[in-house]
Amino acid sequence: MSFRDNLQHLRATRNLTQEQLAMLLGVSRQSVSKWEAERAYPEMDKLLKLCDLFGCTLDELVSGDLTGRPTDVASHMPQAKAPQDVTGYDEAMRAFALKVSLGAGMPLVGLALCMLVSGIVPVPGIEYYASVFVFAGLAAGLALVVPACFGRTGFRKTHPFVEDFYTAEQKGAARSAMSTGIVAGTAFVLAALASAVLLQANIWFASAASAAFAAMGVFFVVRGCLLGVRCDLAAYNRKSLRGLDDEGIGALDGVLQTRARRARREGTWYKIVMSVATAVGLVLLFAPVAAAQRLFWLAWPIGGLACGAIRAFFSMKGDE
């Protein structure tokens, strides 16, 4: 019995489509199609993943006969006309959005505590001791953001391509969440500005209130934006295409292969533009002219706009 027959049967016992199996293995649907057509053979790590997924040995999968295996009812994918989230993408992205938004606000929370303690504890030099809250906030932020980013990178490495399973209603709800987050965040930022004005009689309390409101604003804006963009699986898959090497691109077929090559060229341009922006920013920062030093931060927004122009150019060329 051939590997192809075993793979087709095992996939049928789980009611998995080629797209769903590809997402579980972290490959493109075209790769699974080639395996089942005996036009290509999976690499060893993918064979081991298949063995783990279907509960068989490597010998059984490659040269045995698994076509008599009955349907695995416990792991059988339910019949559904619409695509399903077989990789746990939505749960992973929601967790990522929560951790990053909390981490982004933690430094401001630490600053707020520092200002508050400095204002209410009548001890000379207390502000120096209270600065520990600033460092604690930074540490807490990093403790949330860094593992979350590593986790998201690991998820992308395992599942580089995810089928768009979101319904129109879910995408609409995500856009609403983004809008609500931006509006709420803006309101808290305005509250931070108002606090600085209304409480200016006490600089410590004013600073504490402003930092606290700003932290809440950052939380809502970052979380809303991340929840909104999570539904853009076309962008997620396009970014994965940019990360493919020549071998991975060669495993694709037709239009998808063309898109992968364009996406990689696009990513290369992004790296060049932002590297130049960073170099310009550093030159301005250390320039002997004070006016140039004050404008160093403009290099990155301008670089971002240039990347947007590059994205628009590749879109017009048919990257979509």
Side-chain angles (χ1 to χ4, degrees), residues 80-126:
K81 295 182 179 179
Q84 296 175 305
D85 182 11
V86 299
T87 63
Y89 170 87
D90 188 72
E91 181 181 356
M93 294 304 107
R94 285 181 180 274
F96 174 76
L98 179 60
K99 291 177 182 178
V100 171
S101 55
L102 284 172
M106 280 299 169
L108 288 170
V109 172
L111 178 61
L113 290 174
C114 175
M115 295 296 104
L116 182 62
V117 171
S118 299
I120 63 178
V121 178
V123 176
I126 187 60

Side-chain angles (χ1 to χ4, degrees), residues 48 61 76-77 103 107 115 153 184 195 197 220 228-229 236 245 268 306:
L48 294 177
L61 178 64
H76 195 271
M77 289 293 296
M115 295 296 104
T153 300
S195 299
V197 174
F220 281 106
V229 301
Y236 177 90
D245 55 17
T268 300

Side-chain angles (χ1 to χ4, degrees), residues 32-269:
V32 176
S33 178
K34 286 183 178 181
W35 299 345
E36 295 190 353
E38 292 190 327
R39 292 191 289 118
Y41 201 74
E43 298 175 352
M44 181 56 69
D45 64 322
K46 300 301 185 293
L47 286 171
L48 294 177
K49 282 187 177 181
L50 284 168
C51 292
D52 184 61
L53 177 64
F54 293 116
C56 62
T57 66
L58 187 59
D59 288 340
E60 289 174 335
L61 178 64
V62 175
S63 57
D65 185 0
L66 297 173
T67 57
R69 176 177 288 193
T71 298
D72 188 346
V73 178
S75 303
H76 195 271
M77 289 293 296
Q79 287 284 357
K81 295 182 179 179
Q84 296 175 305
D85 182 11
V86 299
T87 63
Y89 170 87
D90 188 72
E91 181 181 356
M93 294 304 107
R94 285 181 180 274
F96 174 76
L98 179 60
K99 291 177 182 178
V100 171
S101 55
L102 284 172
M106 280 299 169
L108 288 170
V109 172
L111 178 61
L113 290 174
C114 175
M115 295 296 104
L116 182 62
V117 171
S118 299
I120 63 178
V121 178
V123 176
I126 187 60
E127 61 271 15
Y128 297 106
Y129 298 102
S131 62
V132 69
F133 288 107
V134 176
F135 295 104
L138 288 171
L142 290 173
L144 286 167
V145 173
V146 173
C149 290
F150 277 117
R152 190 172 189 273
T153 300
F155 183 92
R156 180 183 291 279
K157 185 176 181 180
T158 305
H159 306 291
F161 302 105
V162 177
E163 186 180 17
D164 191 353
F165 58 87
Y166 288 110
T167 64
E169 291 76 14
Q170 289 173 323
K171 291 180 179 179
R175 288 192 293 269
S176 297
M178 179 184 288
S179 300
T180 301
I182 292 175
V183 170
T186 302
F188 278 113
V189 171
L190 292 176
L193 296 175
S195 299
V197 174
L198 297 176
L199 300 176
Q200 58 182 330
N202 189 316
I203 187 62
W204 297 113
F205 289 157
S207 299
S210 296
F213 282 126
M216 297 176 72
V218 168
F219 170 82
F220 281 106
V221 170
V222 173
R223 184 170 182 271
C225 289
L226 290 177
L227 287 178
V229 301
R230 86 185 193 282
C231 292
D232 190 358
L233 282 167
Y236 177 90
N237 293 331
R238 187 167 56 245
K239 186 173 182 179
S240 295
L241 286 175
R242 291 203 297 267
L244 289 178
D245 55 17
D246 291 332
E247 182 179 354
I249 292 176
L252 303 176
D253 289 331
V255 176
L256 194 58
Q257 188 177 92
T258 301
R259 288 183 178 179
R261 296 191 186 282
R262 285 178 176 171
R264 193 162 72 166
R265 289 198 298 270
E266 179 184 341
T268 300
W269 276 108

